[in-house]
Amino acid sequence: MTTDTSSPDSAASSLRDSARRTLAVEQQAIAALAERLDDHFDRACALVLACQGRVVVTGMGKSGHIAGKIAATLASTGTPSFFVHPGEASHGDLGMITPGDVVLALSNSGETAEVTALLPLLKRLGTPLISMTGRPDSTLGRHADAHLDSGVAREACPLDLAPTASTTAALALGDALAVALLEARGFTAEDFARSHPGGSLGKRLLLRVRDLMHEGSRLPRVPLGSPLRDALLEITRQGLGFTCVVDTDGRLAGVYTDGDLRRTLDHYSDLSGLSVDDVMTRPGKRIAPDVLAAEAVRVMEDNRITALAVVDETGRPIGALHMHDLLTSGVI
């Protein structure tokens, strides 16, 4: 078979036309799913919500790949779940399934031998079965406690053979199930972050100011009445671009920053007689240690500053937070 390369524009157009037809077929397949949602979907959700164990998702071939993704989506959205290969299940892995679990089995035909072979074993265990097939009257469809119809009019493949629209529809229906369960559980963004601690969302929602702040000897601090020179030395020593200024009770009275220094130089030709009290910013921006690090980013951006004093409930500084700490931690 040879390929005509004499007209690249025409060939590219033909390729794009093919892609558009594929997308149109798959779009229609997904749209048709909404019209077929019925009380079986409600029943499937009820079975999962009542489940005391985990949702075990299984499928063979391309359906198996989709099943693995559905299991991962369920697990990350509040429904404990894992994938079991149906062939391995018949050779020992069935021991991973308990009566307290729910099984979600995928098969476009509903007749996949490796999957239907599990039916007697599941019935014996008393494990509820949710099937997702393209044929409600199939073996899997008839023996399930709830059946999700993922059928499509045709595959996107021009031969109507390769699983394309059918796998896309199954994937979308799995997402619909996961989101319905997520909302029914009242699953929050913070819950999601707990299962994604390594991602950027997890960092934004789980890291607190106290996790990132400089404390102890790394906290820049000078007392009220200090010569400006001492405040500048403290800023230089700690390298955070500011220093806290505390009163006799140790409470934050204000801050002196690199920006304040520029303003001081604009207004005073001689700095030698200045006290930090004369030029500091009162009362100074501050934040509590248990506030989300993402909130600290917002405060810094809104006020166009790069550092914050961290204070306890009495107003005493216990730490210092710099924008660089937020950058290196992945919060921003």
Side-chain angles (χ1 to χ4, degrees), residues 75-78 182 185-209 211 290-295:
S76 68
T77 53
L182 175 156
R185 295 183 192 280
F187 194 78
T188 66
E190 191 161 351
D191 293 325
F192 186 85
R194 289 192 186 99
S195 60
H196 298 74
S200 59
L201 177 63
K203 290 183 172 64
R204 290 199 302 273
L205 292 177
L206 295 180
L207 280 178
R208 306 276 172 175
V209 168
D211 299 321
D290 290 323
V291 171
L292 289 173
E295 175 64 12

Side-chain angles (χ1 to χ4, degrees), residues 38-50 102 128-130 141 144-148 177 181:
D38 55 17
D39 59 349
H40 276 264
F41 186 86
D42 299 338
R43 198 177 309 155
C45 290
L47 286 170
V48 175
L49 291 170
V102 170
L129 172 65
I130 302 168
D145 297 283
H147 176 259
L148 303 178
L177 179 65
L181 294 167

